[in-house]
Amino acid sequence: MIHSKQTIDTTGFRSGFTVVELLVTITIITILLALLMPAVQTTRESARRVQCSNNLRQLSLAAIRHEETFGWYPTGGWSRRWAGLPDRGAGIHQPGGWVYNVLPFLEQHSLHQLGGSDDTSTTQVMENSQRLTITLSLLNCPTRRGQDLYPNFRGYFHTALVDQVARNDYAFNGGHLYTAYGNGPDSLADEETWAWPDFSTSSGLSFQRSKIRQRDVTDGTSNTYLIAEKHLRRDHYVDGMDLGDNECMYSGDDRDLTRYTGTEFDTTFRPLPDSKASPQEGLVFGSAHDQGFQAALSDGSVRFVQYDISQQIHSRLGNRHDGKPVEF
């Protein structure tokens, strides 16, 4: 018997997805992405926190080496009207603040040495001005903002007015009590006769014309803040309108470079996340991190400090010599 070859008609079979199947697939992918995004964001924030911690570690070691070299932690400089000058030493005659003074210990000796104090020299004035526009990545927390330049509204003595300047996200421990710097002298010649504010009661490690030694930290270097993240209003990250973020990081300004912890009962100096405004704008520690801020202690170790730290302990960490116990 001869069997005839049969063929199968496939024209009735469908191929591809139906609209319903496509919608189901898209829904599943969307749900998976929604589940994965928090994990991705958490991983990214963890990496940024590690980088921020490394920044503080490097800055604290630079400050410690400064103390080992000169005998005191980097001085706070003169005032917001002044910036660093390389031929004015590293002590009370230096108008620049702590960021300027630690540059040689961050492998930035050439940046530190730009310019000079001769304001009749065009070259020195322009080099002083150039420094103001040079950013350093380790002075910015990657969670908050990048290594960029920000609007400048102020002229500094011995410099030309520049449109944009470098800014910092870290501040030195100025103590538990805030004392205003004032404007500082109107010229280098006025330094000796200027009525400088009285900082004799300051309990911090860097403030106007300070020369604090390691042995002055009698509470112990592991019980005292050295450098930590500073609070900044989130709506003013880039416009320079926050009172503690409107100067250049190479200046001698107090609010931009130095922060305070308040007394044991003054809760207005509590550390805050950037999402919350501070009643002491430009004076408190804080950060762009959700749960707390990072702080380098005076022994060089870096700790993550919760925002809900007791005001009593926070105050004591800002006071280098109160003799009171610290546990956190």
Side-chain angles (χ1 to χ4, degrees):
M1 180 182 291
I2 300 176
H3 297 280
S4 60
K5 187 176 181 181
Q6 295 181 343
T7 60
I8 299 175
D9 183 3
T10 62
T11 58
F13 285 78
R14 61 182 175 83
S15 62
F17 292 101
T18 66
V19 173
V20 173
E21 289 173 330
L22 182 60
L23 290 175
V24 170
T25 301
I26 293 174
T27 301
I28 293 173
I29 293 173
T30 302
I31 293 173
L32 288 174
L33 288 174
L35 293 172
L36 286 172
M37 281 305 296
V40 171
Q41 292 172 348
T42 299
T43 300
R44 288 177 176 174
E45 170 57 9
S46 295
R48 290 191 288 258
R49 272 181 53 178
V50 169
Q51 182 58 56
C52 179
S53 176
N54 288 337
N55 291 348
L56 278 164
R57 175 68 173 167
Q58 292 184 62
L59 293 172
S60 65
L61 291 178
I64 290 170
R65 287 195 294 268
H66 183 287
E67 195 278 338
E68 292 171 347
T69 301
F70 295 107
W72 56 84
Y73 294 106
T75 184
W78 285 5
S79 78
R80 61 192 177 190
R81 298 194 299 171
W82 289 89
L85 296 173
D87 49 5
R88 299 288 296 178
I92 63 173
H93 305 300
Q94 175 54 248
W98 73 267
V99 171
Y100 173 76
N101 284 292
V102 299
L103 287 176
F105 305 96
L106 296 172
E107 298 182 350
Q108 296 292 337
H109 182 75
S110 59
L111 180 58
H112 180 274
Q113 292 303 112
L114 279 176
S117 60
D118 183 0
D119 59 1
T120 66
S121 168
T122 301
T123 298
Q124 291 192 16
V125 169
M126 295 310 296
E127 288 182 345
N128 289 338
S129 308
Q130 178 187 357
R131 182 190 299 106
L132 306 182
T133 66
I134 297 176
T135 63
L136 297 175
S137 62
L138 58 81
L139 267 299
N140 294 117
C141 170
T143 298
R144 174 180 287 161
R145 56 186 177 183
Q147 179 187 352
D148 298 312
L149 292 172
Y150 300 94
N152 177 49
F153 310 105
R154 184 184 300 282
Y156 302 93
F157 290 125
H158 298 270
T159 70
L161 182 63
V162 294
D163 293 333
Q164 294 183 305
V165 294
R167 293 211 171 98
N168 55 292
D169 289 333
Y170 306 106
F172 228 91
N173 172 19
H176 75 297
L177 296 175
Y178 167 63
T179 301
Y181 275 32
N183 287 327
D186 298 324
S187 69
L188 293 176
D190 292 336
E191 177 190 1
E192 299 301 325
T193 58
W194 189 257
W196 296 98
D198 182 7
F199 276 84
S200 60
T201 61
S202 177
S203 61
L205 279 72
S206 182
F207 43 87
Q208 188 178 65
R209 304 174 82 227
S210 63
K211 292 179 69 174
I212 301 300
R213 304 158 297 181
Q214 185 185 62
R215 64 175 179 267
D216 296 325
V217 187
T218 56
D219 284 356
T221 55
S222 62
N223 296 322
T224 310
Y225 289 141
L226 183 64
I227 305 171
E229 294 186 85
K230 68 179 188 179
H231 173 268
L232 174 58
R233 286 176 52 179
R234 184 167 290 173
D235 56 335
H236 291 321
Y237 277 176
V238 298
D239 61 14
M241 299 303 292
D242 188 292
L243 293 178
D245 195 57
N246 54 1
E247 309 294 346
C248 174
M249 68 183 188
Y250 302 112
S251 76
D253 179 56
D254 53 341
R255 292 190 178 215
D256 283 53
L257 296 171
T258 312
R259 295 297 167 105
Y260 307 84
T261 58
T263 67
E264 295 186 13
F265 307 101
D266 188 353
T267 58
T268 64
F269 277 86
R270 290 192 56 73
L272 291 171
D274 289 353
S275 57
K276 294 184 179 181
S278 170
Q280 301 287 2
E281 184 174 321
L283 297 177
V284 303
F285 291 109
S287 78
H289 309 300
D290 289 336
Q291 302 299 318
F293 69 103
Q294 303 201 86
L297 301 177
S298 300
D299 61 0
S301 64
V302 179
R303 297 282 298 272
F304 189 78
V305 183
Q306 301 285 339
Y307 292 127
D308 62 1
I309 183 175
S310 77
Q311 177 56 28
Q312 184 181 66
I313 297 301
H314 183 57
S315 174
R316 293 176 183 179
L317 286 164
N319 191 327
R320 70 177 189 273
H321 56 193
D322 62 359
K324 298 178 179 179
V326 172
E327 293 182 8
F328 76 113

